[in-house]
Amino acid sequence: MTKFNKTLLAAAVALASTQTFAAGFQLNSQSATGLGRAMAGDAIIADNASVLARNPAAMALFDKTAISVVGTYADVNVEVTDAMIGDGSGDGQYLGAMDNAAEGKPIPSFYYINPINDKWAFGVAAFSNYGTGTDLAPLNSGHDFNTPIDLLGNTEVTTINFNASVSYRINDSLSLGLGIDAIKGMGTLTRQGNYTFSTPIGDLPADLDLVNIDADGWGFGAIFGLAYEINENNRIGLSYRKSPNMKASGDITFGQDINLGNIPLMVAENFDEIDIPLADIAQLAGFHQLTDKFAIHYTAQWTSWSNFDNIELTDGDKGSDSYILKHYNWDDSWFLSLGATYDINDKWTVRAGIAKDQGVVGEVSSLSIPDSDRMWYSAGFSYHINEKSSIDFGYTLVAGEKVHVIEDSLLTPSIGAYTESGANYYSLQYNYTF
């Protein structure tokens, strides 16, 4: 397999980060309640069953069975401007710009918590921690020169986390929790376009289908949690989610067979599996009820994106056992948020929050990963229908910085562009206690 083919999956998977609006390709959108307060305090507040996504130990705070059903829509905008093939100095071949390189996506979630007795509780949940969808292929169109089709194309990546957890109350203050995650990952990646090869007998135009992947697979991880109640108005939560290396299989094809007489210009190879390491997530959350109506809450979330070091494919049909496609120089990142909640009356509760989300790209920037620091501005409310049921609405504006990125292509000279990403999250949630 050629070096050209080895790098194709790396470019394709790296594009997965362009739509997600937390660091790397992580999602922070597991509940409408959380989106209404910039996810501040979500690992300990326990105002509904969606706390299960963040900290299984917090189930010990429930004395009644609870369910939460969530529907979130991420209205995403990724702008690409001044995309050029060149050395980044401003001179070169102009590729163009895109007003919106990503599509909006629905993100559903479900949570169920059942206290067994005054010591034990268990719960099940379905939600997503990672996923994306983007298409930069239009930048390849309408040019009379070769474009970096190895870097620009369509990517759809989805993960679904199925969680089962238990909690145990040690005493009036301390509770512990443990959960098992079964993660279903699905991806469709394509890199296609026209390319002209320069050969000793003249130019050879070709319609290349460089990457064509439709794969899915399972990974298994775990989450550990702690909930500490200082008193009835103050509590702190800790959790650590151990994420797996995802292994996906299916139709995985790289390159295609192109020959000049007896000389191969490019070869195709099919692989059985793709290995993609996911990042671990740790968080500290606090909740403090300052008055009968007003509370503050906060979260410090750390994600070990340095774990996302290599993309590897295995078992090729041309004799390749395994290949490291690309090494990533990502940094661990922090998500810091602060929020407040105010109970207007027995029916209405309002909340708001602000967060700073740290980007993951280190010394090596990439058009495939137009990541940057982002600010979150959030607001939301709850309407308590009766003692057993309530409806939550949450809204978050995510504003990213405009950054200049440069990436090396194997087909053309370096490509550079300015990227700016943002999103509007809208989320509606129904809660019920039995």
Side-chain angles (χ1 to χ4, degrees), residues 249-393:
S249 59
D251 297 325
I252 306 170
T253 304
F254 300 92
Q256 66 191 67
D257 293 325
I258 298 178
N259 298 296
L260 178 62
N262 294 324
I263 302 173
L265 295 178
M266 184 183 299
V267 295
E269 187 164 8
N270 299 315
F271 288 84
D272 287 345
E273 271 191 344
I274 304 168
D275 294 349
I276 305 174
L278 299 179
D280 295 349
I281 305 169
Q283 55 188 308
L284 165 69
F287 173 80
H288 306 284
Q289 189 75 42
L290 302 183
T291 71
D292 290 342
K293 293 181 174 291
F294 181 72
I296 62 170
H297 26 84
Y298 47 86
T299 287
Q301 176 182 281
W302 171 83
T303 306
S304 64
W305 277 116
S306 58
N307 288 354
F308 186 70
D309 51 358
N310 297 311
I311 298 294
E312 186 177 13
L313 63 156
T314 58
D315 298 329
D317 63 359
K318 298 286 177 62
S320 303
D321 292 329
S322 65
Y323 283 98
I324 302 298
L325 297 178
K326 187 173 181 179
H327 178 71
Y328 289 87
N329 190 28
W330 281 15
D331 295 331
D332 296 339
S333 66
W334 285 94
F335 179 90
L336 305 174
S337 62
L338 176 65
T341 298
Y342 183 76
D343 295 320
I344 298 175
N345 51 41
D346 292 340
K347 289 291 186 181
W348 292 94
T349 299
V350 294
R351 57 185 61 90
I354 188 171
K356 174 71 172 181
D357 190 14
Q358 186 180 30
V360 301
V361 175
E363 296 177 358
V364 181
S365 64
S366 172
L367 179 65
S368 304
I369 312 170
D371 198 35
S372 69
D373 291 348
R374 302 180 177 100
M375 291 298 301
W376 287 45
Y377 306 97
S378 303
F381 64 83
S382 295
Y383 176 71
H384 305 276
I385 301 171
N386 51 47
E387 291 183 357
K388 293 187 175 182
S389 60
S390 63
I391 295 175
D392 298 336
F393 175 79

Side-chain angles (χ1 to χ4, degrees), residues 43 69-70 74 111 121 131 213 216 224 227 249 272 276 305 398 402 432:
V69 181
V70 188
Y111 308 94
I213 299 175
D216 60 76
F224 311 91
S249 59
D272 287 345
I276 305 174
W305 277 116
V398 181
K402 187 174 184 178
Y432 189 83

Side-chain angles (χ1 to χ4, degrees), residues 119-280:
K119 292 289 187 180
W120 291 93
F122 78 90
V124 293
F127 55 94
S128 180
N129 280 323
Y130 303 98
T132 190
T134 189
D135 188 2
L136 296 180
L139 291 175
N140 290 317
S141 302
H143 306 295
D144 58 0
F145 52 85
N146 285 331
T147 61
I149 58 178
D150 56 326
L151 304 180
L152 307 175
N154 181 65
T155 301
E156 293 286 338
V157 177
T158 303
T159 65
I160 305 173
N161 190 323
F162 299 97
N163 172 271
S165 295
V166 296
S167 67
Y168 179 74
R169 178 176 287 280
I170 296 176
N171 53 43
D172 289 343
S173 298
L174 181 63
S175 302
L176 302 178
L178 171 66
I180 302 299
D181 292 326
I183 304 171
K184 175 72 171 180
M186 298 158 281
T188 301
L189 310 171
T190 59
R191 296 295 182 268
Q192 302 168 338
N194 299 316
Y195 188 82
T196 300
F197 291 90
S198 296
T199 73
I201 62 173
D203 291 341
L204 176 63
D207 185 13
L208 297 186
D209 189 1
L210 299 178
V211 179
N212 200 330
I213 299 175
D214 187 2
D216 60 76
W218 288 89
F220 295 89
I223 182 170
F224 311 91
L226 176 152
Y228 186 77
E229 300 167 74
I230 302 170
N231 53 47
E232 62 179 0
N233 293 321
N234 299 276
R235 53 187 180 266
I236 294 173
L238 288 168
S239 68
Y240 188 92
R241 170 164 268 118
K242 180 64 178 177
S243 297
N245 283 6
M246 291 296 302
K247 295 182 180 293
S249 59
D251 297 325
I252 306 170
T253 304
F254 300 92
Q256 66 191 67
D257 293 325
I258 298 178
N259 298 296
L260 178 62
N262 294 324
I263 302 173
L265 295 178
M266 184 183 299
V267 295
E269 187 164 8
N270 299 315
F271 288 84
D272 287 345
E273 271 191 344
I274 304 168
D275 294 349
I276 305 174
L278 299 179
D280 295 349

Side-chain angles (χ1 to χ4, degrees), residues 83-98:
M84 300 187 69
I85 299 174
D87 59 6
S89 64
D91 297 325
Q93 295 168 307
Y94 184 68
L95 286 171
M98 294 186 66

